[in-house]
Amino acid sequence: MKVAFLFPGQGMEEPRMGIAATASGIGKQLIERAEAAVGTPLRRLLTEGGKAFTQTETLQPLLTAVSLAVAAHLEAAGLRPAFCVGHSLGELAAWSCAGGATPLAAVELAALRGRLMAREAARRPGGMLALVAADEDQIA
């Protein structure tokens, strides 16, 4: 049986996600690296949520750290992925899990990505539109 690890993008986060996987070992190191990269106590955000939990510049490195911590936890339990796939931000975690970058480097890259996205969103405010099950008239 082949196993795939699927890594989520921003929008799938929940407070307390992956809390056990980030309590020690590489998971704890990843959270600490993310905290250093953004200058925010992300462990507290992870446990309590709050406004900063929804902000791109803090959430992206946090979600990447948690994703990679959970992957490391699963691998330590003997579950090895044959494939690693990520959606949007999750591509960084998938890339790292597949050996393309160290987990610590992926977290730092996610922090940079989050800062750049937040900066550009402030410069050019906008929104997102999802068209699900819409016909041509509705889309127009």
Side-chain angles (χ1 to χ4, degrees):
M1 175 178 73
K2 291 187 178 184
V3 173
F5 283 5
L6 308 174
F7 297 95
Q10 187 172 345
M12 299 306 299
E13 63 280 344
E14 291 288 334
R16 304 196 57 76
M17 62 183 179
I19 198 81
T22 61
S24 62
I26 185 67
K28 184 177 179 186
Q29 290 175 12
L30 290 166
I31 293 295
E32 289 169 354
R33 180 65 59 99
E35 287 178 333
V38 298
T40 300
L42 297 177
R43 168 76 54 198
R44 191 187 84 233
L45 286 180
L46 184 57
T47 58
E48 299 172 13
K51 183 178 180 187
F53 189 76
T54 64
Q55 295 174 329
T56 299
E57 61 268 30
T58 51
L59 183 60
Q60 291 202 3
L62 177 59
L63 185 56
T64 302
V66 169
S67 293
L68 289 169
V70 170
H73 194 77
L74 292 171
E75 288 190 43
L79 191 59
R80 304 263 188 257
F83 308 97
C84 299
V85 181
H87 172 254
S88 190
L89 171 66
E91 293 172 349
L92 290 177
W95 178 53
S96 175
C97 186
T102 67
L104 295 174
V107 167
E108 288 179 0
L109 188 55
L112 174 61
R113 182 184 194 270
R115 282 193 305 274
L116 292 173
M117 288 182 72
R119 182 189 75 192
E120 292 307 309
R123 287 181 181 174
R124 296 172 188 87
M128 186 184 108
L129 173 65
L131 300 173
V132 179
D135 61 38
E136 285 186 45
D137 290 336
Q138 290 171 317
I139 293 170

